[in-house]
Amino acid sequence: MATVHTLSNIALAVPDLDEAEDFYRDRWGMAPVNGDGDESRRYLRTLTSAHHGLSLEQAPEGAERGELVHVSFDVASRADLDAAVAEALAGGGTVEREPGPAVGPGHEASAAVRDPDGNVVQLLYGARVSEESHRARIVAPRKLGHVVLNTPQRAAMERFYARLGLKVSDRTARGMSFMRCNRDHHSLAVVDSPRTGVQHVAFDVVEMDNVMVALGALTREGTACVWGPGRHGPGHNIFTYYADPAGVFIEYYAELEQVDEELEGPLEEKFWGDEWKGDVWGFAGPPPANFTR
């Protein structure tokens, strides 16, 4: 079975492209990186992005909120690209774009499939590492850490992503499944919802101090923390959540659980019951109502 091994990047369509780019550069600590010359798309990198961790594009006129364009994973070889498309089809997906030369910057080759909810999943091979420097004003995210998708058919989504090599780490009574493709406890999660599309996007800032320094700076500059600080149960990461100018929920986190199955053996998935409220510290309280819809 061909497997993905890294969450590479996510693309969002936003109502105001300039406003969103300014936010992710000036407040969120990402760096613009040269793209493909199309000014309707903007590319931003984290400290360890091969090329970019986030791309933004202009949403159609009348859009009120940011929406998912695609989420992308890397595979290890060109042969794995073809094999991953076949696995996606076997898992209930459909082909959006056959394997071939990459259509965007940063990779040699790519393909695109749609998962059972219709989300576009890019499969990428041959990362071309950017040599552009990056120094944030306050805190810079180390990497795009994970993406959470809303879904009305969580079991079908689990089966699809399992065919791409993701494994379930934990599930919760609230209706979340956390899935991993490398040592990170999760790179993708799917959550019960009547809606589809992105629920939140999370960026790793490595240390608790960075979470708290960013919290202070963002709050002072007018970006309110909508949930946190706290520590999650699944993954054990320290968290703070915000909303970007397009209304997309975004997370800064640190200290995510690392899974070393070669040394410790297979991770036994855990079920978190109704008693778990999202924050094991008991400080953050419940998330805002529109966060869980």
Side-chain angles (χ1 to χ4, degrees), residues 12-291:
L12 301 172
V14 295
D16 188 324
L17 184 57
D18 289 335
E19 180 185 37
E21 181 185 29
D22 288 348
F23 171 85
Y24 280 104
R25 181 188 65 233
D26 296 336
R27 294 197 181 183
W28 205 244
M30 302 183 77
V33 62
N34 290 330
D36 51 11
D38 184 348
E39 280 302 307
S40 68
R41 293 186 179 87
R42 313 286 170 82
Y43 298 88
L44 297 111
R45 67 189 308 267
T46 65
L47 290 172
T48 62
S49 299
H51 182 270
H52 64 280
L54 172 69
S55 62
L56 303 168
E57 61 185 64
Q58 184 61 53
E61 187 175 351
E64 297 180 353
R65 186 182 184 277
E67 300 291 347
L68 179 68
V69 177
H70 62 249
V71 60
S72 304
F73 294 89
D74 284 332
V75 298
S77 71
R78 180 60 180 80
D80 282 345
L81 192 62
D82 297 319
V85 170
E87 292 292 346
L89 289 175
T94 57
V95 176
E96 178 75 5
R97 187 176 70 251
E98 295 285 353
V103 298
H107 287 81
E108 293 178 20
S110 70
V113 296
R114 288 188 181 268
D115 68 19
D117 280 347
N119 301 306
V120 176
V121 181
Q122 283 201 134
L123 303 166
L124 305 174
Y125 165 67
R128 294 169 175 163
V129 179
S130 171
E131 296 182 357
E132 297 184 35
S133 61
H134 181 191
R135 182 172 182 175
R137 181 170 59 92
I138 301 171
V139 171
R142 181 171 69 95
K143 68 176 182 178
L144 171 66
H146 56 267
V147 173
V148 179
L149 300 175
N150 292 306
T151 179
Q153 49 176 346
R154 182 159 52 104
M157 292 282 275
E158 274 193 30
R159 289 193 295 270
F160 171 83
Y161 285 100
R163 295 301 297 241
L164 294 179
L166 281 84
K167 301 175 183 178
V168 173
S169 300
D170 291 328
R171 295 185 180 91
T172 73
R174 183 194 173 286
M176 292 188 73
S177 299
F178 297 82
M179 305 186 75
R180 67 191 185 277
C181 62
N182 49 41
R183 290 193 64 209
D184 284 356
H185 174 272
H186 57 285
S187 296
L188 177 78
V190 289
V191 57
D192 290 345
S193 172
R195 300 188 297 117
T196 60
V198 63
Q199 196 263 355
H200 79 262
V201 184
F203 294 84
D204 182 3
V205 293
V206 184
E207 299 175 349
M208 182 176 182
D209 278 358
N210 288 333
V211 173
M212 300 309 292
V213 167
L215 172 62
L218 288 163
T219 301
R220 286 193 304 273
E221 297 176 5
T223 300
C225 179
V226 299
W227 191 30
R231 186 184 283 277
H232 285 314
H236 306 307
N237 47 303
I238 297 165
F239 68 84
T240 51
Y241 290 86
Y242 309 84
D244 76 4
V248 176
F249 288 113
I250 50 178
E251 177 188 4
Y252 264 163
Y253 76 83
E255 302 179 12
L256 183 72
E257 178 184 351
Q258 298 295 291
V259 179
D260 196 339
E261 293 181 295
E262 290 186 3
L263 296 177
E264 300 167 2
L267 177 69
E268 183 177 350
E269 66 188 55
K270 181 175 180 179
F271 182 79
W272 297 77
D274 288 323
E275 71 281 2
W276 177 70
K277 305 301 182 185
D279 171 25
V280 298
W281 289 345
F283 173 80
N290 59 344
F291 183 81

